[in-house]
Amino acid sequence: VQLVESGGTVVRPGGSLRLSCKASGFTFNIYWLSWVRQAPGKGLEWVANIGKDGSEQFYADSVKGRFTISRDNAKNSVFLQMNSLRVEDTAVYYCAREVGATDRWGLGTRVTVSS
Amino acid sequence: EIQMTQSPSSLSASVGDTVTVTCRASQGVNNYLAWHQQKSGEPPKLLLYAASRLETGVPSRFSASGSGSEYTLTITTLQAEDVATYYCQQYYSIPWTFGQGTKVEIK
């Protein structure tokens, strides 16, 4: 099982960014996927998750209306579109697989929001 | 939102000791409770799920128990490689939430 995130970079406040996560080693379309972030020196914060066929999405209040999670089962990929970025969105963003519990994590991609 | 509170925030123990971490939820989570280990510079790793079920490949010195809103993680015979931060996570009610973490160090 592998989850490989990409797309993290430095972006200005108010800017947008799209993170990608490419999965391999398992049957992608039977699992919920999620994004979890970790601000520098802080704990883990669940951001969003998406159902097996993409028809259901849930978000943390802190990102609702600004972030959108989506998936492409044909490409074994999940995405996080982040708009109206704020300084407090600075974090390592992890892609994760859910089986109820979060059972597999990617290595993460770093997003820095700074002017 | 269910709040998860871990105690202690950090602990220092000797190799071979038994250590216990407690996780308290602001309401019952019906055993939908997982424990993750995060070593410095690495992503988290699932240790246990469903309150007490050991993930495949995790050493048996890790165990967990609890019910309702109170859960514990126990590491028996602490090893040097267990230095890490441990997080509880409830997956009973969205938004999933994590405890603030317990940092385990070797004395």
Side-chain angles (χ1 to χ4, degrees):
Chain A
V1 174
Q2 264 201 317
L3 298 162
V4 180
E5 303 92 337
S6 61
T9 189
V10 179
V11 61
R12 304 265 190 198
S16 297
L17 200 58
R18 188 189 196 217
L19 304 183
S20 300
C21 172
K22 175 75 173 177
S24 60
F26 64 98
T27 304
F28 185 75
N29 62 6
I30 65 171
Y31 290 93
W32 283 64
L33 278 297
S34 59
W35 289 95
V36 178
R37 67 185 180 183
Q38 187 168 36
K42 302 296 184 183
L44 301 168
E45 180 189 16
W46 175 83
V47 172
N49 67 357
I50 187 166
K52 301 171 189 178
D53 63 2
S55 61
E56 294 180 272
Q57 307 100 35
F58 297 94
Y59 298 92
D61 284 347
S62 58
V63 306
K64 203 172 291 182
R66 299 188 299 123
F67 289 13
T68 302
I69 188 171
S70 61
R71 66 190 292 165
D72 184 340
N73 284 348
K75 295 183 178 178
N76 284 6
S77 295
V78 61
F79 308 98
L80 187 67
Q81 177 67 43
M82 303 188 295
N83 298 331
S84 303
L85 281 160
R86 304 168 180 167
V87 171
E88 54 265 34
D89 295 319
T90 294
V92 173
Y93 284 73
Y94 295 104
C95 172
R97 187 179 79 171
E98 295 186 0
V99 290
T102 306
D103 79 327
R104 293 292 186 271
W105 300 75
L107 294 178
T109 188
R110 187 175 301 274
V111 173
T112 302
V113 185
S114 173
S115 54
Chain B
E1 174 175 320
I2 298 176
Q3 306 295 325
M4 307 299 290
T5 303
Q6 288 181 232
S7 61
S9 296
S10 65
L11 66 89
S12 182
S14 300
V15 171
D17 283 355
T18 294
V19 304
T20 300
V21 179
T22 298
C23 178
R24 179 177 290 112
S26 57
Q27 64 187 78
V29 297
N30 200 27
N31 288 359
Y32 287 87
L33 193 286
W35 290 95
H36 301 273
Q37 175 194 63
Q38 186 177 33
K39 296 183 178 180
S40 181
E42 297 183 7
K45 173 189 171 184
L46 177 66
L47 296 179
L48 301 111
Y49 62 97
S52 61
R53 297 191 175 190
L54 197 66
E55 175 72 350
T56 303
V58 174
S60 58
R61 64 179 180 274
F62 292 93
S63 64
S65 63
S67 63
S69 61
E70 296 258 352
Y71 298 87
T72 59
L73 169 70
T74 300
I75 310 172
T76 56
T77 318
L78 185 71
Q79 302 296 304
E81 61 262 33
D82 300 334
V83 168
T85 300
Y86 293 84
Y87 295 93
C88 61
Q89 177 205 9
Q90 67 82 18
Y91 52 101
Y92 176 68
S93 171
I94 281 180
W96 307 153
T97 46
F98 295 86
Q100 81 280 14
T102 295
K103 190 171 185 178
V104 173
E105 297 176 321
I106 299 294
K107 212 179 275 186

